[in-house]
Amino acid sequence: MLLTLVIVYLLVTIAIGLVAAKRVKNSADFAIAGRRLPLVMIVTTTFATWFGSETVLGIPAKFVNGGLHTVVEDPFGAGFCLILVGLFFAAKLYRMTLLTISDYFRERYGRSVEVVCSLIIMVSYLGWVSAQVTALGLVFHVLSGQAISIPMGMVIGVVSILAYTLFGGMWSVAITDFIQMIILVGGLAILAVFASHMAGGADKVVNLALSRDMFRFLPEPNFKDIVFFIAAAITMMLGSIPQQDVFQRVMSADSTKSATRGPVIGGIFYILFAFVPMFLVTSALVIMPERAEALLQDDPQKVLPTLVLEKMPFIMQVLFFGALLSAIKSCASATLLAPSVTFVENIWRQFRPHLGDKQELKAMRITVLVFSALVLAYAIFMQGTSIYEMVSGAYQVTLVGAFVPLTFGLYWKKASTQGAIFSIVLGLLTWGLFLATPAGEEFPAQLAGVLASLTGMLVGSLGPQAIANRHAGHHKLVGAD
């Protein structure tokens, strides 16, 4: 019965997405909803960008095992990313009326930087979308009583998302996000109230968390713990800023006001609401202590689904899985769309410079289909990797390769193409070197990468200018002699 209701829910969201697809008339409608989304939809769709499988399953698993300081990357880093986008990036980018974030790199630094940054952004989405696909496979596996294998569950999930994303693009994503976020927030809030009653009161859940030191946020006061803490914080906080899915939401707004305020409100709401799944999993330690402890040793991501399925009435199960699917589908649909639009606009167009709008729209849809197949294959291959780790790894590459060129390009007039190239190359090489050697165990690879990227930008941009000034000074001296 529960599986039947979930399938009905999937069919309803597909129908809504296909109705929304009727609004798509050109590539701008498909990529950025024709820049017509009001503030309330920018809030829900930016919130939905982050509220995925890792928020419902991954973050709580990390929290109960290691406390608040182990989840600094997400939700804190992820939420502050949206706030920073709204405060410092949205207005400048919105006024440029671009289709993709890589268009900015082309306008500021030229074609070579555009292509390299596009590839970096596209690669980063493999881990992010695969995490959502993995969670979909897990949901169908659990709901079917293990009759549906996890890989087959992944296939079903991807097909259900493709059914409307392929045709409706950003319009379908935004409208389904709006509806799914209402279901998600309402469902999890009701579950939290019910779980607190089952545990004997919210105070008992909070006291358990306090007794286990789960609310400790700051790292141990030594160099290694502090630098790894900082590295975790900036991975999504800064690494997600030069991302197409965040950029699409900014550019889809109907005004500069919506583009700047929407991400800020969405980010604050995300950080606050991410505590609800953490509360639910902690309540499981009170409601079913022995079962929860066993699951923590086996697979912490199963604690919350097991609590709902084994201890809660049917209506609560419907609410939970409805909320979970809403979170996963809204996140996955957006992140399937983003790299596909980037590929067509910033890479494929290099080979087809005279591509018409209808041809471009067709190419975007074909790319969504191909990327979905790649993600599905990658997710099946990566089975067994934790959802949280898959998401974490996804944004390190954009942090070390694209964040510095974007930020310095917007705020530093002396940033040059050579500086951007130095920044990208040094950032990626240093990051890769630290990952591949024992050095990464002593100093975080992503922090080393972003520091190298910053050095590359400064040296590459200021170096030629300093040499030119020195030559000019030399010529003046020679002339004076």
Side-chain angles (χ1 to χ4, degrees), residues 95-153:
R95 294 189 192 106
M96 295 179 74
T97 62
L98 307 169
L99 198 63
T100 69
I101 188 71
S102 296
D103 286 348
Y104 168 78
F105 290 113
R106 181 185 66 243
E107 297 290 324
R108 185 66 174 81
Y109 299 116
R111 288 280 185 192
S112 57
V113 175
E114 172 198 11
V115 172
V116 173
C117 286
S118 297
L119 291 170
I120 288 170
I121 289 165
M122 286 166 58
V123 167
S124 74
Y125 279 103
L126 266 179
W128 177 260
V129 191
S130 295
Q132 315 312 314
V133 172
T134 299
L136 284 168
L138 184 64
V139 168
F140 285 106
H141 181 65
V142 170
L143 288 178
S144 65
Q146 303 183 358
I148 297 173
S149 67
I150 290 178
M152 182 51 66

Short mmCIF file of all heavy atoms in Angstrom, two decimals, residues 95-153:
data_model
loop_
_atom_site.label_atom_id
_atom_site.label_comp_id
_atom_site.label_asym_id
_atom_site.label_seq_id
_atom_site.Cartn_x
_atom_site.Cartn_y
_atom_site.Cartn_z
N ARG A 95 22.35 41.33 -13.53
CA ARG A 95 22.33 42.47 -14.47
C ARG A 95 23.04 42.16 -15.78
O ARG A 95 22.86 42.86 -16.77
CB ARG A 95 22.99 43.69 -13.80
CG ARG A 95 22.21 44.24 -12.61
CD ARG A 95 22.77 45.56 -12.11
NE ARG A 95 22.21 45.92 -10.83
CZ ARG A 95 22.86 45.84 -9.67
NH1 ARG A 95 24.12 45.41 -9.65
NH2 ARG A 95 22.28 46.19 -8.54
N MET A 96 23.84 41.10 -15.81
CA MET A 96 24.57 40.75 -17.03
C MET A 96 23.72 39.93 -18.01
O MET A 96 24.14 39.69 -19.14
CB MET A 96 25.85 39.97 -16.67
CG MET A 96 26.85 40.79 -15.88
SD MET A 96 28.34 39.87 -15.43
CE MET A 96 29.18 39.81 -17.01
N THR A 97 22.53 39.49 -17.56
CA THR A 97 21.59 38.71 -18.39
C THR A 97 22.28 37.57 -19.16
O THR A 97 22.23 37.50 -20.38
CB THR A 97 20.82 39.61 -19.38
OG1 THR A 97 21.74 40.23 -20.27
CG2 THR A 97 20.02 40.68 -18.64
N LEU A 98 22.92 36.70 -18.42
CA LEU A 98 23.60 35.54 -19.00
C LEU A 98 22.74 34.30 -18.87
O LEU A 98 21.85 34.23 -18.04
CB LEU A 98 24.93 35.32 -18.27
CG LEU A 98 25.88 36.53 -18.18
CD1 LEU A 98 27.01 36.24 -17.22
CD2 LEU A 98 26.42 36.88 -19.56
N LEU A 99 23.04 33.29 -19.69
CA LEU A 99 22.28 32.04 -19.64
C LEU A 99 22.93 31.04 -18.68
O LEU A 99 22.24 30.29 -18.00
CB LEU A 99 22.19 31.42 -21.04
CG LEU A 99 21.10 30.38 -21.27
CD1 LEU A 99 19.71 30.99 -21.08
CD2 LEU A 99 21.21 29.78 -22.67
N THR A 100 24.26 31.05 -18.61
CA THR A 100 24.97 30.13 -17.71
C THR A 100 26.08 30.88 -16.97
O THR A 100 26.52 31.95 -17.40
CB THR A 100 25.63 28.96 -18.49
OG1 THR A 100 26.72 29.48 -19.26
CG2 THR A 100 24.64 28.25 -19.40
N ILE A 101 26.57 30.29 -15.90
CA ILE A 101 27.68 30.89 -15.15
C ILE A 101 28.95 30.89 -16.00
O ILE A 101 29.79 31.78 -15.90
CB ILE A 101 27.91 30.13 -13.81
CG1 ILE A 101 28.93 30.86 -12.92
CG2 ILE A 101 28.37 28.70 -14.04
CD1 ILE A 101 28.43 32.13 -12.33
N SER A 102 29.07 29.90 -16.90
CA SER A 102 30.25 29.84 -17.77
C SER A 102 30.25 30.97 -18.80
O SER A 102 31.32 31.34 -19.30
CB SER A 102 30.32 28.49 -18.47
OG SER A 102 30.51 27.46 -17.52
N ASP A 103 29.07 31.51 -19.13
CA ASP A 103 29.02 32.69 -20.00
C ASP A 103 29.79 33.85 -19.37
O ASP A 103 30.42 34.64 -20.06
CB ASP A 103 27.56 33.13 -20.24
CG ASP A 103 26.82 32.21 -21.19
OD1 ASP A 103 27.47 31.36 -21.83
OD2 ASP A 103 25.58 32.33 -21.29
N TYR A 104 29.72 33.94 -18.04
CA TYR A 104 30.46 34.98 -17.34
C TYR A 104 31.96 34.81 -17.54
O TYR A 104 32.68 35.78 -17.82
CB TYR A 104 30.14 34.97 -15.83
CG TYR A 104 31.10 35.84 -15.06
CD1 TYR A 104 30.95 37.22 -15.06
CD2 TYR A 104 32.20 35.29 -14.42
CE1 TYR A 104 31.87 38.03 -14.41
CE2 TYR A 104 33.12 36.08 -13.77
CZ TYR A 104 32.95 37.46 -13.76
OH TYR A 104 33.87 38.26 -13.14
N PHE A 105 32.44 33.57 -17.42
CA PHE A 105 33.88 33.33 -17.59
C PHE A 105 34.33 33.70 -19.00
O PHE A 105 35.44 34.19 -19.19
CB PHE A 105 34.20 31.86 -17.28
CG PHE A 105 34.08 31.50 -15.83
CD1 PHE A 105 33.10 30.63 -15.38
CD2 PHE A 105 34.95 32.05 -14.90
CE1 PHE A 105 32.99 30.31 -14.03
CE2 PHE A 105 34.84 31.74 -13.54
CZ PHE A 105 33.86 30.87 -13.11
N ARG A 106 33.46 33.46 -20.00
CA ARG A 106 33.80 33.85 -21.37
C ARG A 106 33.87 35.37 -21.51
O ARG A 106 34.81 35.90 -22.09
CB ARG A 106 32.76 33.30 -22.35
CG ARG A 106 33.07 33.64 -23.82
CD ARG A 106 31.98 33.20 -24.76
NE ARG A 106 30.74 33.92 -24.54
CZ ARG A 106 29.60 33.37 -24.14
NH1 ARG A 106 29.54 32.07 -23.93
NH2 ARG A 106 28.52 34.09 -23.96
N GLU A 107 32.87 36.07 -20.96
CA GLU A 107 32.82 37.52 -21.07
C GLU A 107 34.00 38.17 -20.35
O GLU A 107 34.54 39.17 -20.82
CB GLU A 107 31.51 38.05 -20.46
CG GLU A 107 30.24 37.60 -21.16
CD GLU A 107 30.07 38.23 -22.53
OE1 GLU A 107 30.43 39.40 -22.69
OE2 GLU A 107 29.59 37.53 -23.45
N ARG A 108 34.41 37.59 -19.25
CA ARG A 108 35.46 38.22 -18.41
C ARG A 108 36.87 37.79 -18.82
O ARG A 108 37.79 38.60 -18.79
CB ARG A 108 35.21 37.84 -16.94
CG ARG A 108 36.16 38.51 -15.94
CD ARG A 108 35.96 40.00 -15.89
NE ARG A 108 36.75 40.64 -14.84
CZ ARG A 108 38.04 40.95 -14.95
NH1 ARG A 108 38.71 40.66 -16.06
NH2 ARG A 108 38.67 41.56 -13.95
N TYR A 109 37.03 36.49 -19.22
CA TYR A 109 38.38 35.98 -19.44
C TYR A 109 38.63 35.38 -20.82
O TYR A 109 39.77 35.08 -21.16
CB TYR A 109 38.70 34.89 -18.40
CG TYR A 109 38.67 35.35 -16.97
CD1 TYR A 109 37.73 34.84 -16.07
CD2 TYR A 109 39.59 36.28 -16.48
CE1 TYR A 109 37.70 35.24 -14.74
CE2 TYR A 109 39.58 36.69 -15.15
CZ TYR A 109 38.63 36.17 -14.29
OH TYR A 109 38.62 36.57 -12.97
N GLY A 110 37.58 35.13 -21.60
CA GLY A 110 37.77 34.55 -22.93
C GLY A 110 37.34 33.09 -23.02
O GLY A 110 36.95 32.46 -22.04
N ARG A 111 37.45 32.54 -24.22
CA ARG A 111 36.94 31.19 -24.53
C ARG A 111 37.63 30.08 -23.76
O ARG A 111 37.00 29.13 -23.32
CB ARG A 111 37.08 30.92 -26.03
CG ARG A 111 36.12 31.69 -26.91
CD ARG A 111 34.75 31.06 -26.91
NE ARG A 111 33.87 31.73 -27.85
CZ ARG A 111 32.56 31.53 -27.89
NH1 ARG A 111 32.00 30.70 -27.03
NH2 ARG A 111 31.81 32.15 -28.76
N SER A 112 38.96 30.15 -23.64
CA SER A 112 39.69 29.04 -23.01
C SER A 112 39.25 28.84 -21.56
O SER A 112 39.01 27.71 -21.11
CB SER A 112 41.20 29.30 -23.08
OG SER A 112 41.52 30.54 -22.47
N VAL A 113 39.12 29.93 -20.82
CA VAL A 113 38.68 29.84 -19.42
C VAL A 113 37.23 29.37 -19.36
O VAL A 113 36.86 28.58 -18.47
CB VAL A 113 38.85 31.20 -18.71
CG1 VAL A 113 38.29 31.14 -17.29
CG2 VAL A 113 40.32 31.60 -18.67
N GLU A 114 36.40 29.82 -20.30
CA GLU A 114 35.00 29.39 -20.35
C GLU A 114 34.90 27.87 -20.47
O GLU A 114 34.15 27.21 -19.73
CB GLU A 114 34.30 30.03 -21.55
CG GLU A 114 32.90 29.50 -21.81
CD GLU A 114 32.39 29.81 -23.22
OE1 GLU A 114 33.18 30.25 -24.07
OE2 GLU A 114 31.19 29.59 -23.46
N VAL A 115 35.66 27.28 -21.40
CA VAL A 115 35.58 25.84 -21.65
C VAL A 115 36.10 25.05 -20.44
O VAL A 115 35.47 24.08 -20.00
CB VAL A 115 36.38 25.46 -22.92
CG1 VAL A 115 36.48 23.95 -23.07
CG2 VAL A 115 35.71 26.06 -24.16
N VAL A 116 37.24 25.47 -19.89
CA VAL A 116 37.82 24.75 -18.75
C VAL A 116 36.89 24.79 -17.55
O VAL A 116 36.64 23.77 -16.90
CB VAL A 116 39.21 25.33 -18.39
CG1 VAL A 116 39.74 24.69 -17.10
CG2 VAL A 116 40.20 25.09 -19.51
N CYS A 117 36.35 25.98 -17.25
CA CYS A 117 35.44 26.11 -16.10
C CYS A 117 34.15 25.32 -16.32
O CYS A 117 33.58 24.76 -15.38
CB CYS A 117 35.13 27.58 -15.82
SG CYS A 117 36.51 28.45 -15.04
N SER A 118 33.68 25.27 -17.57
CA SER A 118 32.48 24.48 -17.89
C SER A 118 32.71 23.01 -17.60
O SER A 118 31.85 22.33 -17.02
CB SER A 118 32.11 24.65 -19.38
OG SER A 118 31.77 25.99 -19.66
N LEU A 119 33.88 22.50 -17.99
CA LEU A 119 34.20 21.09 -17.74
C LEU A 119 34.31 20.81 -16.24
O LEU A 119 33.83 19.78 -15.75
CB LEU A 119 35.52 20.73 -18.43
CG LEU A 119 35.47 20.69 -19.97
CD1 LEU A 119 36.87 20.55 -20.54
CD2 LEU A 119 34.58 19.54 -20.45
N ILE A 120 34.93 21.74 -15.50
CA ILE A 120 35.05 21.59 -14.04
C ILE A 120 33.66 21.52 -13.41
O ILE A 120 33.39 20.65 -12.56
CB ILE A 120 35.84 22.79 -13.45
CG1 ILE A 120 37.31 22.69 -13.81
CG2 ILE A 120 35.69 22.85 -11.93
CD1 ILE A 120 38.12 23.94 -13.48
N ILE A 121 32.79 22.43 -13.81
CA ILE A 121 31.42 22.48 -13.25
C ILE A 121 30.66 21.21 -13.58
O ILE A 121 29.98 20.63 -12.72
CB ILE A 121 30.69 23.74 -13.78
CG1 ILE A 121 31.30 25.00 -13.14
CG2 ILE A 121 29.19 23.66 -13.49
CD1 ILE A 121 30.90 26.29 -13.83
N MET A 122 30.77 20.75 -14.83
CA MET A 122 30.03 19.55 -15.24
C MET A 122 30.49 18.31 -14.48
O MET A 122 29.67 17.51 -14.03
CB MET A 122 30.20 19.33 -16.75
CG MET A 122 29.41 20.31 -17.61
SD MET A 122 29.94 20.28 -19.32
CE MET A 122 29.66 18.56 -19.72
N VAL A 123 31.81 18.16 -14.31
CA VAL A 123 32.35 17.00 -13.59
C VAL A 123 31.86 17.00 -12.14
O VAL A 123 31.53 15.94 -11.58
CB VAL A 123 33.90 17.01 -13.64
CG1 VAL A 123 34.49 16.03 -12.63
CG2 VAL A 123 34.39 16.68 -15.04
N SER A 124 31.76 18.18 -11.53
CA SER A 124 31.36 18.26 -10.12
C SER A 124 29.95 17.72 -9.89
O SER A 124 29.62 17.27 -8.80
CB SER A 124 31.44 19.71 -9.64
OG SER A 124 30.38 20.49 -10.16
N TYR A 125 29.11 17.78 -10.92
CA TYR A 125 27.72 17.34 -10.75
C TYR A 125 27.57 15.83 -10.68
O TYR A 125 26.54 15.34 -10.20
CB TYR A 125 26.84 17.90 -11.87
CG TYR A 125 26.42 19.32 -11.62
CD1 TYR A 125 27.02 20.37 -12.30
CD2 TYR A 125 25.44 19.62 -10.69
CE1 TYR A 125 26.66 21.68 -12.05
CE2 TYR A 125 25.07 20.93 -10.43
CZ TYR A 125 25.68 21.95 -11.13
OH TYR A 125 25.32 23.24 -10.86
N LEU A 126 28.56 15.10 -11.15
CA LEU A 126 28.44 13.63 -11.12
C LEU A 126 28.19 13.12 -9.70
O LEU A 126 27.28 12.33 -9.46
CB LEU A 126 29.70 12.99 -11.69
CG LEU A 126 29.71 12.63 -13.18
CD1 LEU A 126 31.05 12.02 -13.55
CD2 LEU A 126 28.57 11.71 -13.55
N GLY A 127 29.01 13.58 -8.75
CA GLY A 127 28.88 13.12 -7.37
C GLY A 127 27.59 13.60 -6.73
O GLY A 127 26.91 12.84 -6.02
N TRP A 128 27.22 14.87 -7.00
CA TRP A 128 26.02 15.46 -6.39
C TRP A 128 24.75 14.74 -6.84
O TRP A 128 23.93 14.32 -6.03
CB TRP A 128 25.97 16.94 -6.76
CG TRP A 128 24.78 17.68 -6.28
CD1 TRP A 128 23.67 18.01 -7.00
CD2 TRP A 128 24.54 18.19 -4.96
NE1 TRP A 128 22.77 18.70 -6.22
CE2 TRP A 128 23.28 18.82 -4.96
CE3 TRP A 128 25.29 18.16 -3.78
CZ2 TRP A 128 22.74 19.43 -3.84
CZ3 TRP A 128 24.74 18.77 -2.66
CH2 TRP A 128 23.49 19.39 -2.70
N VAL A 129 24.59 14.59 -8.16
CA VAL A 129 23.37 13.95 -8.67
C VAL A 129 23.36 12.46 -8.32
O VAL A 129 22.32 11.88 -8.02
CB VAL A 129 23.21 14.13 -10.20
CG1 VAL A 129 21.83 13.71 -10.66
CG2 VAL A 129 23.44 15.58 -10.60
N SER A 130 24.55 11.85 -8.34
CA SER A 130 24.63 10.43 -8.00
C SER A 130 24.16 10.16 -6.57
O SER A 130 23.57 9.12 -6.28
CB SER A 130 26.06 9.92 -8.17
OG SER A 130 26.44 9.98 -9.51
N ALA A 131 24.43 11.12 -5.66
CA ALA A 131 23.96 10.97 -4.28
C ALA A 131 22.44 10.92 -4.23
O ALA A 131 21.85 10.13 -3.48
CB ALA A 131 24.47 12.14 -3.44
N GLN A 132 21.78 11.74 -5.06
CA GLN A 132 20.31 11.74 -5.09
C GLN A 132 19.78 10.43 -5.69
O GLN A 132 18.81 9.85 -5.21
CB GLN A 132 19.77 12.93 -5.89
CG GLN A 132 20.43 14.27 -5.59
CD GLN A 132 20.54 14.58 -4.11
OE1 GLN A 132 19.60 14.40 -3.35
NE2 GLN A 132 21.72 15.04 -3.69
N VAL A 133 20.45 9.99 -6.74
CA VAL A 133 20.04 8.74 -7.40
C VAL A 133 20.22 7.54 -6.46
O VAL A 133 19.37 6.65 -6.40
CB VAL A 133 20.84 8.53 -8.72
CG1 VAL A 133 20.56 7.16 -9.32
CG2 VAL A 133 20.49 9.63 -9.72
N THR A 134 21.32 7.55 -5.71
CA THR A 134 21.57 6.48 -4.73
C THR A 134 20.45 6.44 -3.68
O THR A 134 19.96 5.36 -3.32
CB THR A 134 22.92 6.72 -4.03
OG1 THR A 134 23.95 6.70 -5.01
CG2 THR A 134 23.19 5.66 -2.98
N ALA A 135 20.04 7.61 -3.23
CA ALA A 135 18.96 7.68 -2.23
C ALA A 135 17.64 7.19 -2.80
O ALA A 135 16.87 6.51 -2.11
CB ALA A 135 18.81 9.11 -1.73
N LEU A 136 17.36 7.50 -4.06
CA LEU A 136 16.14 7.01 -4.70
C LEU A 136 16.14 5.48 -4.75
O LEU A 136 15.12 4.84 -4.48
CB LEU A 136 16.01 7.57 -6.12
CG LEU A 136 15.57 9.03 -6.24
CD1 LEU A 136 15.76 9.54 -7.66
CD2 LEU A 136 14.12 9.20 -5.81
N GLY A 137 17.30 4.92 -5.10
CA GLY A 137 17.41 3.45 -5.12
C GLY A 137 17.15 2.85 -3.76
O GLY A 137 16.46 1.83 -3.63
N LEU A 138 17.69 3.50 -2.71
CA LEU A 138 17.50 3.02 -1.33
C LEU A 138 16.03 3.08 -0.91
O LEU A 138 15.51 2.15 -0.28
CB LEU A 138 18.35 3.87 -0.39
CG LEU A 138 18.35 3.48 1.09
CD1 LEU A 138 18.97 2.11 1.28
CD2 LEU A 138 19.11 4.53 1.92
N VAL A 139 15.34 4.16 -1.30
CA VAL A 139 13.92 4.32 -0.94
C VAL A 139 13.08 3.21 -1.55
O VAL A 139 12.27 2.57 -0.86
CB VAL A 139 13.40 5.71 -1.41
CG1 VAL A 139 11.88 5.76 -1.31
CG2 VAL A 139 14.02 6.81 -0.57
N PHE A 140 13.24 2.97 -2.84
CA PHE A 140 12.45 1.92 -3.50
C PHE A 140 12.80 0.53 -2.97
O PHE A 140 11.94 -0.35 -2.88
CB PHE A 140 12.63 1.99 -5.02
CG PHE A 140 11.89 3.13 -5.66
CD1 PHE A 140 12.56 4.24 -6.12
CD2 PHE A 140 10.50 3.10 -5.76
CE1 PHE A 140 11.88 5.31 -6.69
CE2 PHE A 140 9.81 4.16 -6.33
CZ PHE A 140 10.49 5.26 -6.79
N HIS A 141 14.06 0.34 -2.62
CA HIS A 141 14.51 -0.94 -2.06
C HIS A 141 13.83 -1.19 -0.71
O HIS A 141 13.32 -2.30 -0.45
CB HIS A 141 16.03 -0.89 -1.88
CG HIS A 141 16.63 -2.15 -1.33
ND1 HIS A 141 16.61 -3.34 -2.01
CD2 HIS A 141 17.27 -2.39 -0.14
CE1 HIS A 141 17.22 -4.27 -1.27
NE2 HIS A 141 17.62 -3.72 -0.14
N VAL A 142 13.77 -0.16 0.13
CA VAL A 142 13.16 -0.29 1.46
C VAL A 142 11.64 -0.46 1.34
O VAL A 142 11.04 -1.32 2.00
CB VAL A 142 13.50 0.95 2.32
CG1 VAL A 142 12.67 0.96 3.60
CG2 VAL A 142 14.99 0.96 2.66
N LEU A 143 11.01 0.37 0.50
CA LEU A 143 9.55 0.34 0.39
C LEU A 143 9.01 -0.96 -0.20
O LEU A 143 7.89 -1.36 0.09
CB LEU A 143 9.06 1.52 -0.47
CG LEU A 143 9.16 2.91 0.16
CD1 LEU A 143 8.69 3.97 -0.81
CD2 LEU A 143 8.33 2.97 1.43
N SER A 144 9.80 -1.58 -1.04
CA SER A 144 9.34 -2.83 -1.68
C SER A 144 9.67 -4.06 -0.85
O SER A 144 9.46 -5.19 -1.31
CB SER A 144 10.00 -2.97 -3.06
OG SER A 144 11.40 -3.12 -2.93
N GLY A 145 10.16 -3.84 0.37
CA GLY A 145 10.57 -4.97 1.20
C GLY A 145 11.73 -5.71 0.58
O GLY A 145 11.81 -6.94 0.68
N GLN A 146 12.61 -4.96 -0.08
CA GLN A 146 13.82 -5.46 -0.74
C GLN A 146 13.54 -6.25 -2.01
O GLN A 146 14.44 -6.87 -2.58
CB GLN A 146 14.68 -6.28 0.23
CG GLN A 146 15.07 -5.49 1.47
CD GLN A 146 15.99 -6.24 2.42
OE1 GLN A 146 16.31 -7.40 2.18
NE2 GLN A 146 16.38 -5.59 3.49
N ALA A 147 12.26 -6.23 -2.48
CA ALA A 147 11.93 -6.91 -3.73
C ALA A 147 12.55 -6.17 -4.91
O ALA A 147 12.94 -6.79 -5.92
CB ALA A 147 10.41 -6.98 -3.90
N ILE A 148 12.61 -4.84 -4.82
CA ILE A 148 13.27 -4.03 -5.85
C ILE A 148 14.71 -3.81 -5.41
O ILE A 148 14.96 -3.30 -4.32
CB ILE A 148 12.55 -2.68 -6.05
CG1 ILE A 148 11.12 -2.88 -6.55
CG2 ILE A 148 13.32 -1.79 -7.02
CD1 ILE A 148 10.30 -1.60 -6.61
N SER A 149 15.66 -4.22 -6.25
CA SER A 149 17.07 -4.02 -5.90
C SER A 149 17.40 -2.53 -5.93
O SER A 149 16.68 -1.73 -6.55
CB SER A 149 17.97 -4.77 -6.89
OG SER A 149 17.87 -4.17 -8.18
N ILE A 150 18.49 -2.15 -5.25
CA ILE A 150 18.88 -0.73 -5.22
C ILE A 150 19.18 -0.20 -6.63
O ILE A 150 18.70 0.87 -7.00
CB ILE A 150 20.07 -0.52 -4.26
CG1 ILE A 150 19.59 -0.72 -2.81
CG2 ILE A 150 20.67 0.88 -4.42
CD1 ILE A 150 20.68 -0.59 -1.75
N PRO A 151 19.94 -0.94 -7.48
CA PRO A 151 20.16 -0.44 -8.85
C PRO A 151 18.86 -0.25 -9.63
O PRO A 151 18.70 0.74 -10.35
CB PRO A 151 21.05 -1.51 -9.49
CG PRO A 151 21.76 -2.14 -8.34
CD PRO A 151 20.76 -2.14 -7.22
N MET A 152 17.91 -1.19 -9.49
CA MET A 152 16.63 -1.05 -10.20
C MET A 152 15.85 0.14 -9.64
O MET A 152 15.18 0.87 -10.40
CB MET A 152 15.81 -2.34 -10.06
CG MET A 152 14.47 -2.31 -10.80
SD MET A 152 14.61 -1.81 -12.55
CE MET A 152 15.53 -3.21 -13.22
N GLY A 153 15.94 0.35 -8.33
CA GLY A 153 15.31 1.52 -7.73
C GLY A 153 15.89 2.81 -8.27
O GLY A 153 15.18 3.80 -8.49
#
